[in-house]
Amino acid sequence: MPLTMADVDRFESSRPRLEAIAYRLLGSATEAEDAVQETFLRWQAADVDRIKVPEAWLTKVLTNLCLNQLTSARARRETYVGQWLPEPLLSGDPMLGPADTAEQRESVSYAVLTLMERLSPNERAVYVLREAFDYPHQEIAGILDITEAASQQIFHRAKKHVADGRVRTEVDEAAARRIVQEFLTAATSGRTEPLVRLLTEDAISIGDGGGKVPARAKAFEGALAVATFMRGLFKPGKAKRAIAGGSPEVYASTANGDPAVVAVVGGRVVGVFCLEVTAEGVAAFRNQVNPDKLERATKRWAAADHGEPLLIAF
């Protein structure tokens, strides 16, 4: 039986929540959109009049589609060129989902999305549904076809795996801008010492070029190594301009709720550098330069006014 407009509207009202769940599960906005669209096709083919709780049905279908996707994604990432990092979402992107509680904001941070790669598909699903969307364990058990006790055990295990011993410092937009400005001032000073002072002793820098843009396969580790790399990264050079397609305009923004440096060439986002900030300093730079993972960021960037860039790089 064809869907009525009411049936379509019912699905569309759930779409933002479904996309936010799928993004947290997959770490990819593109794959999240595909999973939600496949969920709609399943909804279209179902006898919706017999579905008592549409929200629960849609969540179960979506989650299981994402679990299948995660299983195949693990195999693909084994052959991925260099480091794999999630697709960043810029400030205000609706796919970031709920941000009312510290747990919800933390669950979509770039650091946690990266750490969730350690989890099994089931662990990731339980963690996301419970931590970010406050689903009770009884409902999670029904979605994943496990017992309520198993859901609780999986959740505690997942939280332990995600925890890295650091306490993330939450910052607002103004504070994020100040942090990025301070970083850029240090990075373009031509000296290593100002950068070292901003970093934690065990700071890291990771880049994802996807084999399409040069990015070091192994992470830089330690404040001095990271500072040296960042100083060199912002040093002008013809080769860098050629790779970027020009001299990037550099802006302060936020991505996944964290301070971020956004590099733009001709209206196209060519890099998003996410800063993980703790009370001790900047603990990590996670740098996304794979053009395939910056298409949504470019569209989002074009739809908003960002003022003047803080500097022109290279």
Side-chain angles (χ1 to χ4, degrees), residues 33-95:
E33 289 176 334
D34 289 345
V36 172
Q37 186 58 29
E38 180 60 30
T39 302
F40 175 73
L41 295 178
R42 302 287 179 92
W43 174 251
Q44 194 174 37
D47 185 353
V48 296
D49 290 336
R50 301 184 64 180
I51 298 174
K52 294 180 179 179
V53 186
E55 181 181 282
W57 188 92
L58 292 169
T59 303
K60 179 165 185 164
V61 170
L62 174 79
T63 301
N64 282 284
L65 286 169
C66 289
L67 289 177
N68 292 336
Q69 182 76 3
L70 280 171
T71 301
S72 61
R74 282 172 176 260
R76 291 199 309 275
R77 287 169 194 171
E78 288 178 0
T79 59
Y80 192 82
V81 179
Q83 297 278 349
W84 185 95
L85 290 174
E87 182 176 345
L89 297 183
L90 298 181
S91 175
D93 194 310
M95 199 175 280

Short mmCIF file of all heavy atoms in Angstrom, two decimals, residues 33-95:
data_model
loop_
_atom_site.label_atom_id
_atom_site.label_comp_id
_atom_site.label_asym_id
_atom_site.label_seq_id
_atom_site.Cartn_x
_atom_site.Cartn_y
_atom_site.Cartn_z
N GLU A 33 23.43 9.76 5.82
CA GLU A 33 22.31 10.12 4.93
C GLU A 33 21.84 8.91 4.14
O GLU A 33 20.63 8.71 3.97
CB GLU A 33 22.75 11.23 3.98
CG GLU A 33 22.94 12.58 4.65
CD GLU A 33 23.47 13.63 3.69
OE1 GLU A 33 24.13 13.24 2.69
OE2 GLU A 33 23.22 14.82 3.92
N ASP A 34 22.79 8.10 3.67
CA ASP A 34 22.41 6.89 2.91
C ASP A 34 21.64 5.90 3.78
O ASP A 34 20.66 5.30 3.33
CB ASP A 34 23.68 6.21 2.38
CG ASP A 34 24.34 7.00 1.26
OD1 ASP A 34 23.70 7.91 0.70
OD2 ASP A 34 25.52 6.71 0.96
N ALA A 35 22.08 5.75 5.05
CA ALA A 35 21.39 4.82 5.95
C ALA A 35 19.98 5.29 6.25
O ALA A 35 19.03 4.48 6.32
CB ALA A 35 22.19 4.67 7.25
N VAL A 36 19.80 6.59 6.41
CA VAL A 36 18.47 7.13 6.68
C VAL A 36 17.57 6.97 5.46
O VAL A 36 16.39 6.64 5.57
CB VAL A 36 18.55 8.60 7.12
CG1 VAL A 36 17.16 9.23 7.21
CG2 VAL A 36 19.26 8.71 8.48
N GLN A 37 18.14 7.17 4.27
CA GLN A 37 17.34 7.01 3.06
C GLN A 37 16.92 5.56 2.89
O GLN A 37 15.78 5.27 2.47
CB GLN A 37 18.13 7.48 1.84
CG GLN A 37 17.34 7.49 0.55
CD GLN A 37 16.09 8.37 0.61
OE1 GLN A 37 16.05 9.36 1.35
NE2 GLN A 37 15.06 7.99 -0.13
N GLU A 38 17.81 4.61 3.22
CA GLU A 38 17.47 3.19 3.14
C GLU A 38 16.38 2.87 4.16
O GLU A 38 15.49 2.04 3.89
CB GLU A 38 18.70 2.34 3.39
CG GLU A 38 18.45 0.84 3.33
CD GLU A 38 17.93 0.35 2.00
OE1 GLU A 38 18.27 0.96 0.95
OE2 GLU A 38 17.18 -0.65 1.99
N THR A 39 16.44 3.52 5.32
CA THR A 39 15.39 3.33 6.33
C THR A 39 14.04 3.79 5.79
O THR A 39 13.00 3.16 6.02
CB THR A 39 15.74 4.10 7.62
OG1 THR A 39 17.00 3.65 8.11
CG2 THR A 39 14.69 3.88 8.69
N PHE A 40 14.06 4.91 5.06
CA PHE A 40 12.81 5.40 4.45
C PHE A 40 12.26 4.38 3.46
O PHE A 40 11.04 4.14 3.41
CB PHE A 40 13.04 6.73 3.75
CG PHE A 40 11.82 7.22 3.01
CD1 PHE A 40 10.72 7.72 3.70
CD2 PHE A 40 11.76 7.16 1.63
CE1 PHE A 40 9.58 8.15 3.03
CE2 PHE A 40 10.63 7.58 0.94
CZ PHE A 40 9.54 8.08 1.64
N LEU A 41 13.14 3.77 2.67
CA LEU A 41 12.68 2.76 1.70
C LEU A 41 12.05 1.57 2.42
O LEU A 41 11.06 1.00 1.94
CB LEU A 41 13.85 2.31 0.82
CG LEU A 41 14.46 3.38 -0.10
CD1 LEU A 41 15.64 2.82 -0.87
CD2 LEU A 41 13.40 3.94 -1.07
N ARG A 42 12.64 1.19 3.55
CA ARG A 42 12.05 0.10 4.35
C ARG A 42 10.68 0.52 4.90
O ARG A 42 9.74 -0.28 4.96
CB ARG A 42 12.98 -0.27 5.50
CG ARG A 42 14.39 -0.69 5.08
CD ARG A 42 14.44 -2.06 4.45
NE ARG A 42 15.79 -2.43 4.04
CZ ARG A 42 16.65 -3.09 4.79
NH1 ARG A 42 16.30 -3.49 6.01
NH2 ARG A 42 17.86 -3.39 4.34
N TRP A 43 10.58 1.77 5.32
CA TRP A 43 9.31 2.32 5.82
C TRP A 43 8.27 2.32 4.69
O TRP A 43 7.11 1.97 4.91
CB TRP A 43 9.57 3.74 6.33
CG TRP A 43 8.40 4.56 6.77
CD1 TRP A 43 7.89 5.64 6.11
CD2 TRP A 43 7.61 4.42 7.96
NE1 TRP A 43 6.83 6.18 6.81
CE2 TRP A 43 6.64 5.44 7.95
CE3 TRP A 43 7.62 3.52 9.02
CZ2 TRP A 43 5.71 5.60 8.97
CZ3 TRP A 43 6.68 3.67 10.04
CH2 TRP A 43 5.74 4.70 10.01
N GLN A 44 8.73 2.69 3.52
CA GLN A 44 7.84 2.74 2.36
C GLN A 44 7.30 1.36 2.01
O GLN A 44 6.14 1.22 1.56
CB GLN A 44 8.62 3.33 1.17
CG GLN A 44 7.76 3.76 0.00
CD GLN A 44 8.60 4.45 -1.06
OE1 GLN A 44 9.75 4.07 -1.31
NE2 GLN A 44 8.06 5.48 -1.67
N ALA A 45 8.11 0.33 2.22
CA ALA A 45 7.71 -1.03 1.86
C ALA A 45 6.92 -1.73 2.96
O ALA A 45 6.34 -2.80 2.74
CB ALA A 45 8.95 -1.85 1.52
N ALA A 46 6.89 -1.14 4.16
CA ALA A 46 6.25 -1.79 5.31
C ALA A 46 4.75 -1.51 5.33
O ALA A 46 4.25 -0.57 4.70
CB ALA A 46 6.88 -1.29 6.60
N ASP A 47 4.04 -2.34 6.07
CA ASP A 47 2.63 -2.09 6.35
C ASP A 47 2.57 -1.19 7.57
O ASP A 47 2.47 -1.66 8.71
CB ASP A 47 1.90 -3.42 6.61
CG ASP A 47 0.40 -3.24 6.78
OD1 ASP A 47 -0.06 -2.07 6.83
OD2 ASP A 47 -0.31 -4.25 6.90
N VAL A 48 2.66 0.12 7.34
CA VAL A 48 2.84 1.06 8.45
C VAL A 48 1.65 1.09 9.40
O VAL A 48 1.81 1.46 10.58
CB VAL A 48 3.15 2.48 7.91
CG1 VAL A 48 4.47 2.49 7.15
CG2 VAL A 48 2.02 3.00 7.05
N ASP A 49 0.49 0.72 8.92
CA ASP A 49 -0.68 0.73 9.79
C ASP A 49 -0.55 -0.30 10.91
O ASP A 49 -1.23 -0.18 11.95
CB ASP A 49 -1.95 0.45 8.98
CG ASP A 49 -2.31 1.61 8.06
OD1 ASP A 49 -1.89 2.76 8.37
OD2 ASP A 49 -2.99 1.38 7.05
N ARG A 50 0.30 -1.29 10.72
CA ARG A 50 0.47 -2.33 11.73
C ARG A 50 1.65 -2.03 12.66
O ARG A 50 1.92 -2.81 13.59
CB ARG A 50 0.66 -3.67 11.05
CG ARG A 50 -0.52 -4.07 10.16
CD ARG A 50 -0.34 -5.46 9.58
NE ARG A 50 -0.32 -6.49 10.63
CZ ARG A 50 -0.17 -7.79 10.39
NH1 ARG A 50 -0.02 -8.21 9.13
NH2 ARG A 50 -0.17 -8.66 11.37
N ILE A 51 2.34 -0.93 12.43
CA ILE A 51 3.48 -0.56 13.28
C ILE A 51 2.96 0.30 14.43
O ILE A 51 2.50 1.42 14.23
CB ILE A 51 4.55 0.20 12.46
CG1 ILE A 51 5.10 -0.70 11.36
CG2 ILE A 51 5.68 0.69 13.37
CD1 ILE A 51 6.06 -0.01 10.40
N LYS A 52 3.02 -0.24 15.62
CA LYS A 52 2.42 0.44 16.78
C LYS A 52 3.21 1.66 17.23
O LYS A 52 2.64 2.68 17.61
CB LYS A 52 2.28 -0.56 17.93
CG LYS A 52 1.31 -1.70 17.65
CD LYS A 52 1.21 -2.64 18.84
CE LYS A 52 0.22 -3.76 18.55
NZ LYS A 52 0.12 -4.72 19.69
N VAL A 53 4.55 1.53 17.24
CA VAL A 53 5.39 2.64 17.70
C VAL A 53 6.39 2.97 16.58
O VAL A 53 7.48 2.40 16.54
CB VAL A 53 6.13 2.29 19.01
CG1 VAL A 53 6.89 3.51 19.54
CG2 VAL A 53 5.16 1.75 20.06
N PRO A 54 6.01 3.85 15.67
CA PRO A 54 6.87 4.14 14.51
C PRO A 54 8.30 4.55 14.90
O PRO A 54 9.26 4.12 14.26
CB PRO A 54 6.13 5.29 13.81
CG PRO A 54 4.70 5.08 14.17
CD PRO A 54 4.73 4.58 15.60
N GLU A 55 8.46 5.37 15.93
CA GLU A 55 9.79 5.84 16.31
C GLU A 55 10.69 4.65 16.67
O GLU A 55 11.86 4.59 16.25
CB GLU A 55 9.71 6.80 17.50
CG GLU A 55 11.07 7.32 17.94
CD GLU A 55 10.98 8.26 19.12
OE1 GLU A 55 10.62 9.44 18.92
OE2 GLU A 55 11.26 7.81 20.25
N ALA A 56 10.16 3.73 17.44
CA ALA A 56 10.95 2.56 17.84
C ALA A 56 11.27 1.69 16.62
O ALA A 56 12.39 1.19 16.48
CB ALA A 56 10.19 1.74 18.88
N TRP A 57 10.30 1.52 15.73
CA TRP A 57 10.51 0.70 14.53
C TRP A 57 11.60 1.32 13.66
O TRP A 57 12.51 0.62 13.20
CB TRP A 57 9.20 0.60 13.77
CG TRP A 57 9.21 -0.36 12.61
CD1 TRP A 57 8.87 -1.68 12.60
CD2 TRP A 57 9.60 -0.06 11.25
NE1 TRP A 57 9.01 -2.22 11.35
CE2 TRP A 57 9.45 -1.26 10.50
CE3 TRP A 57 10.04 1.10 10.59
CZ2 TRP A 57 9.73 -1.32 9.14
CZ3 TRP A 57 10.34 1.03 9.23
CH2 TRP A 57 10.17 -0.17 8.52
N LEU A 58 11.51 2.62 13.42
CA LEU A 58 12.49 3.31 12.58
C LEU A 58 13.89 3.25 13.20
O LEU A 58 14.88 3.05 12.49
CB LEU A 58 12.07 4.77 12.37
CG LEU A 58 10.82 4.98 11.52
CD1 LEU A 58 10.36 6.43 11.60
CD2 LEU A 58 11.07 4.58 10.07
N THR A 59 13.97 3.43 14.51
CA THR A 59 15.26 3.39 15.19
C THR A 59 15.89 2.01 15.07
O THR A 59 17.09 1.87 14.84
CB THR A 59 15.11 3.78 16.67
OG1 THR A 59 14.52 5.07 16.76
CG2 THR A 59 16.47 3.80 17.37
N LYS A 60 15.07 0.98 15.21
CA LYS A 60 15.59 -0.39 15.11
C LYS A 60 16.09 -0.67 13.70
O LYS A 60 17.19 -1.23 13.52
CB LYS A 60 14.51 -1.39 15.50
CG LYS A 60 14.98 -2.84 15.38
CD LYS A 60 14.06 -3.80 16.10
CE LYS A 60 14.62 -5.23 16.05
NZ LYS A 60 14.02 -6.13 17.01
N VAL A 61 15.32 -0.30 12.69
CA VAL A 61 15.74 -0.54 11.31
C VAL A 61 17.03 0.21 11.02
O VAL A 61 17.99 -0.34 10.47
CB VAL A 61 14.63 -0.10 10.33
CG1 VAL A 61 15.16 -0.11 8.89
CG2 VAL A 61 13.43 -1.02 10.45
N LEU A 62 17.07 1.50 11.39
CA LEU A 62 18.26 2.31 11.13
C LEU A 62 19.49 1.74 11.84
O LEU A 62 20.57 1.60 11.24
CB LEU A 62 18.03 3.75 11.60
CG LEU A 62 19.27 4.63 11.50
CD1 LEU A 62 19.48 5.10 10.08
CD2 LEU A 62 19.19 5.82 12.45
N THR A 63 19.33 1.40 13.12
CA THR A 63 20.47 0.91 13.89
C THR A 63 21.03 -0.37 13.29
O THR A 63 22.26 -0.52 13.17
CB THR A 63 20.05 0.67 15.36
OG1 THR A 63 19.58 1.90 15.92
CG2 THR A 63 21.22 0.16 16.19
N ASN A 64 20.17 -1.26 12.87
CA ASN A 64 20.65 -2.51 12.29
C ASN A 64 21.30 -2.29 10.92
O ASN A 64 22.27 -2.97 10.58
CB ASN A 64 19.51 -3.53 12.22
CG ASN A 64 19.24 -4.16 13.58
OD1 ASN A 64 19.98 -5.02 14.04
ND2 ASN A 64 18.17 -3.72 14.24
N LEU A 65 20.79 -1.34 10.16
CA LEU A 65 21.46 -0.99 8.91
C LEU A 65 22.86 -0.45 9.19
O LEU A 65 23.83 -0.80 8.49
CB LEU A 65 20.65 0.06 8.15
CG LEU A 65 19.37 -0.43 7.46
CD1 LEU A 65 18.55 0.76 6.99
CD2 LEU A 65 19.71 -1.33 6.27
N CYS A 66 22.98 0.37 10.23
CA CYS A 66 24.28 0.94 10.58
C CYS A 66 25.23 -0.12 11.11
O CYS A 66 26.43 -0.08 10.84
CB CYS A 66 24.11 2.05 11.62
SG CYS A 66 23.35 3.56 10.97
N LEU A 67 24.70 -1.10 11.85
CA LEU A 67 25.54 -2.19 12.35
C LEU A 67 26.13 -2.98 11.19
O LEU A 67 27.31 -3.35 11.20
CB LEU A 67 24.74 -3.10 13.27
CG LEU A 67 24.35 -2.53 14.63
CD1 LEU A 67 23.50 -3.52 15.41
CD2 LEU A 67 25.57 -2.15 15.44
N ASN A 68 25.31 -3.24 10.18
CA ASN A 68 25.81 -3.93 8.98
C ASN A 68 26.87 -3.09 8.28
O ASN A 68 27.89 -3.61 7.81
CB ASN A 68 24.66 -4.23 8.02
CG ASN A 68 23.69 -5.27 8.56
OD1 ASN A 68 24.06 -6.08 9.41
ND2 ASN A 68 22.47 -5.24 8.08
N GLN A 69 26.61 -1.79 8.22
CA GLN A 69 27.56 -0.88 7.58
C GLN A 69 28.89 -0.84 8.34
O GLN A 69 29.96 -0.82 7.75
CB GLN A 69 26.96 0.53 7.51
CG GLN A 69 27.81 1.56 6.83
CD GLN A 69 27.80 1.43 5.33
OE1 GLN A 69 27.10 0.58 4.77
NE2 GLN A 69 28.59 2.24 4.66
N LEU A 70 28.81 -0.83 9.67
CA LEU A 70 30.03 -0.80 10.49
C LEU A 70 30.88 -2.05 10.27
O LEU A 70 32.11 -1.98 10.24
CB LEU A 70 29.66 -0.67 11.97
CG LEU A 70 29.30 0.72 12.47
CD1 LEU A 70 28.75 0.64 13.89
CD2 LEU A 70 30.49 1.66 12.40
N THR A 71 30.22 -3.18 10.14
CA THR A 71 30.95 -4.44 9.92
C THR A 71 31.73 -4.39 8.62
O THR A 71 32.91 -4.77 8.57
CB THR A 71 29.97 -5.62 9.91
OG1 THR A 71 29.28 -5.67 11.16
CG2 THR A 71 30.72 -6.92 9.71
N SER A 72 31.10 -3.90 7.54
CA SER A 72 31.81 -3.80 6.26
C SER A 72 32.82 -2.67 6.27
O SER A 72 33.86 -2.75 5.63
CB SER A 72 30.81 -3.60 5.12
OG SER A 72 30.07 -2.41 5.29
N ALA A 73 32.52 -1.61 7.04
CA ALA A 73 33.44 -0.47 7.11
C ALA A 73 34.76 -0.87 7.74
O ALA A 73 35.82 -0.38 7.36
CB ALA A 73 32.81 0.68 7.89
N ARG A 74 34.72 -1.77 8.73
CA ARG A 74 35.95 -2.22 9.36
C ARG A 74 36.89 -2.85 8.35
O ARG A 74 38.10 -2.64 8.38
CB ARG A 74 35.63 -3.22 10.48
CG ARG A 74 35.14 -2.56 11.75
CD ARG A 74 34.66 -3.57 12.78
NE ARG A 74 34.30 -2.91 14.01
CZ ARG A 74 35.07 -2.84 15.08
NH1 ARG A 74 36.25 -3.40 15.07
NH2 ARG A 74 34.67 -2.21 16.17
N ALA A 75 36.32 -3.63 7.44
CA ALA A 75 37.14 -4.27 6.41
C ALA A 75 37.72 -3.21 5.47
O ALA A 75 38.90 -3.28 5.09
CB ALA A 75 36.31 -5.27 5.63
N ARG A 76 36.91 -2.21 5.09
CA ARG A 76 37.39 -1.17 4.19
C ARG A 76 38.49 -0.34 4.84
O ARG A 76 39.46 0.06 4.18
CB ARG A 76 36.24 -0.24 3.78
CG ARG A 76 35.20 -0.89 2.88
CD ARG A 76 34.39 0.16 2.15
NE ARG A 76 33.84 1.17 3.04
CZ ARG A 76 32.69 1.02 3.70
NH1 ARG A 76 31.99 -0.09 3.57
NH2 ARG A 76 32.24 1.99 4.49
N ARG A 77 38.36 -0.08 6.14
CA ARG A 77 39.34 0.78 6.81
C ARG A 77 40.68 0.09 7.00
O ARG A 77 41.69 0.75 7.24
CB ARG A 77 38.77 1.27 8.14
CG ARG A 77 37.69 2.32 7.93
CD ARG A 77 36.91 2.66 9.17
NE ARG A 77 35.70 3.41 8.82
CZ ARG A 77 34.73 3.70 9.66
NH1 ARG A 77 34.82 3.32 10.93
NH2 ARG A 77 33.68 4.37 9.26
N GLU A 78 40.69 -1.23 6.89
CA GLU A 78 41.96 -1.94 6.96
C GLU A 78 42.82 -1.63 5.74
O GLU A 78 44.05 -1.73 5.80
CB GLU A 78 41.72 -3.45 7.05
CG GLU A 78 41.17 -3.89 8.41
CD GLU A 78 40.90 -5.39 8.46
OE1 GLU A 78 41.16 -6.06 7.44
OE2 GLU A 78 40.43 -5.87 9.51
N THR A 79 42.20 -1.24 4.64
CA THR A 79 42.95 -0.91 3.43
C THR A 79 42.97 0.61 3.19
O THR A 79 43.46 1.06 2.15
CB THR A 79 42.35 -1.61 2.20
OG1 THR A 79 40.97 -1.20 2.06
CG2 THR A 79 42.40 -3.12 2.36
N TYR A 80 42.44 1.39 4.12
CA TYR A 80 42.40 2.85 3.99
C TYR A 80 43.83 3.38 3.99
O TYR A 80 44.68 2.93 4.76
CB TYR A 80 41.60 3.45 5.14
CG TYR A 80 41.25 4.90 4.99
CD1 TYR A 80 40.16 5.30 4.23
CD2 TYR A 80 42.01 5.90 5.62
CE1 TYR A 80 39.82 6.64 4.10
CE2 TYR A 80 41.68 7.23 5.49
CZ TYR A 80 40.58 7.61 4.73
OH TYR A 80 40.25 8.93 4.60
N VAL A 81 44.09 4.36 3.14
CA VAL A 81 45.43 4.93 3.06
C VAL A 81 45.65 5.91 4.21
O VAL A 81 44.97 6.94 4.29
CB VAL A 81 45.65 5.64 1.71
CG1 VAL A 81 47.05 6.26 1.66
CG2 VAL A 81 45.43 4.68 0.56
N GLY A 82 46.58 5.60 5.10
CA GLY A 82 46.89 6.49 6.22
C GLY A 82 45.89 6.37 7.36
O GLY A 82 45.15 5.38 7.49
N GLN A 83 45.84 7.41 8.17
CA GLN A 83 44.93 7.46 9.32
C GLN A 83 43.49 7.67 8.85
O GLN A 83 43.25 8.40 7.88
CB GLN A 83 45.32 8.61 10.26
CG GLN A 83 46.69 8.49 10.88
CD GLN A 83 46.69 7.58 12.10
OE1 GLN A 83 45.63 7.20 12.60
NE2 GLN A 83 47.87 7.24 12.60
N TRP A 84 42.55 7.03 9.55
CA TRP A 84 41.12 7.27 9.27
C TRP A 84 40.55 8.13 10.39
O TRP A 84 40.69 7.80 11.57
CB TRP A 84 40.34 5.95 9.20
CG TRP A 84 38.91 6.14 8.79
CD1 TRP A 84 38.40 6.05 7.54
CD2 TRP A 84 37.79 6.49 9.64
NE1 TRP A 84 37.04 6.31 7.54
CE2 TRP A 84 36.65 6.59 8.82
CE3 TRP A 84 37.67 6.74 11.01
CZ2 TRP A 84 35.38 6.91 9.31
CZ3 TRP A 84 36.40 7.07 11.50
CH2 TRP A 84 35.28 7.15 10.66
N LEU A 85 39.93 9.26 10.01
CA LEU A 85 39.26 10.12 10.98
C LEU A 85 37.82 10.35 10.53
O LEU A 85 37.52 10.28 9.33
CB LEU A 85 39.98 11.47 11.09
CG LEU A 85 41.36 11.47 11.77
CD1 LEU A 85 41.99 12.86 11.68
CD2 LEU A 85 41.27 11.03 13.22
N PRO A 86 36.92 10.65 11.47
CA PRO A 86 35.52 10.89 11.09
C PRO A 86 35.38 12.14 10.21
O PRO A 86 36.30 12.95 10.09
CB PRO A 86 34.83 11.11 12.45
CG PRO A 86 35.77 10.54 13.47
CD PRO A 86 37.14 10.73 12.92
N GLU A 87 34.21 12.28 9.63
CA GLU A 87 33.87 13.46 8.84
C GLU A 87 33.45 14.57 9.81
O GLU A 87 32.51 14.38 10.59
CB GLU A 87 32.73 13.12 7.89
CG GLU A 87 32.31 14.24 6.98
CD GLU A 87 31.23 13.82 5.99
OE1 GLU A 87 31.01 12.59 5.83
OE2 GLU A 87 30.61 14.70 5.39
N PRO A 88 34.11 15.72 9.80
CA PRO A 88 33.76 16.77 10.76
C PRO A 88 32.48 17.50 10.37
O PRO A 88 32.19 17.69 9.19
CB PRO A 88 34.96 17.71 10.70
CG PRO A 88 35.50 17.54 9.31
CD PRO A 88 35.24 16.10 8.94
N LEU A 89 31.73 17.92 11.38
CA LEU A 89 30.53 18.71 11.16
C LEU A 89 30.73 20.09 11.79
O LEU A 89 31.08 20.20 12.97
CB LEU A 89 29.31 18.04 11.79
CG LEU A 89 28.91 16.67 11.22
CD1 LEU A 89 27.64 16.17 11.91
CD2 LEU A 89 28.71 16.71 9.71
N LEU A 90 30.51 21.13 10.99
CA LEU A 90 30.74 22.48 11.47
C LEU A 90 29.59 22.98 12.33
O LEU A 90 28.50 22.41 12.35
CB LEU A 90 30.95 23.42 10.28
CG LEU A 90 32.17 23.11 9.39
CD1 LEU A 90 32.28 24.12 8.27
CD2 LEU A 90 33.45 23.07 10.21
N SER A 91 29.85 24.04 13.04
CA SER A 91 28.89 24.62 13.98
C SER A 91 27.51 24.79 13.36
O SER A 91 27.37 25.29 12.24
CB SER A 91 29.41 25.98 14.45
OG SER A 91 28.48 26.63 15.27
N GLY A 92 26.48 24.35 14.09
CA GLY A 92 25.11 24.53 13.64
C GLY A 92 24.57 23.45 12.74
O GLY A 92 23.38 23.48 12.39
N ASP A 93 25.40 22.50 12.34
CA ASP A 93 24.92 21.43 11.47
C ASP A 93 23.87 20.61 12.22
O ASP A 93 24.14 20.11 13.31
CB ASP A 93 26.08 20.53 11.06
CG ASP A 93 25.73 19.60 9.90
OD1 ASP A 93 24.68 18.93 9.98
OD2 ASP A 93 26.50 19.54 8.93
N PRO A 94 22.67 20.45 11.66
CA PRO A 94 21.61 19.73 12.37
C PRO A 94 21.96 18.27 12.64
O PRO A 94 21.40 17.67 13.56
CB PRO A 94 20.40 19.84 11.44
CG PRO A 94 20.97 20.18 10.09
CD PRO A 94 22.19 20.98 10.36
N MET A 95 22.90 17.70 11.89
CA MET A 95 23.26 16.31 12.11
C MET A 95 24.02 16.11 13.43
O MET A 95 24.18 14.98 13.90
CB MET A 95 24.07 15.77 10.94
CG MET A 95 24.12 14.25 10.86
SD MET A 95 24.96 13.60 9.40
CE MET A 95 23.67 13.76 8.16
#
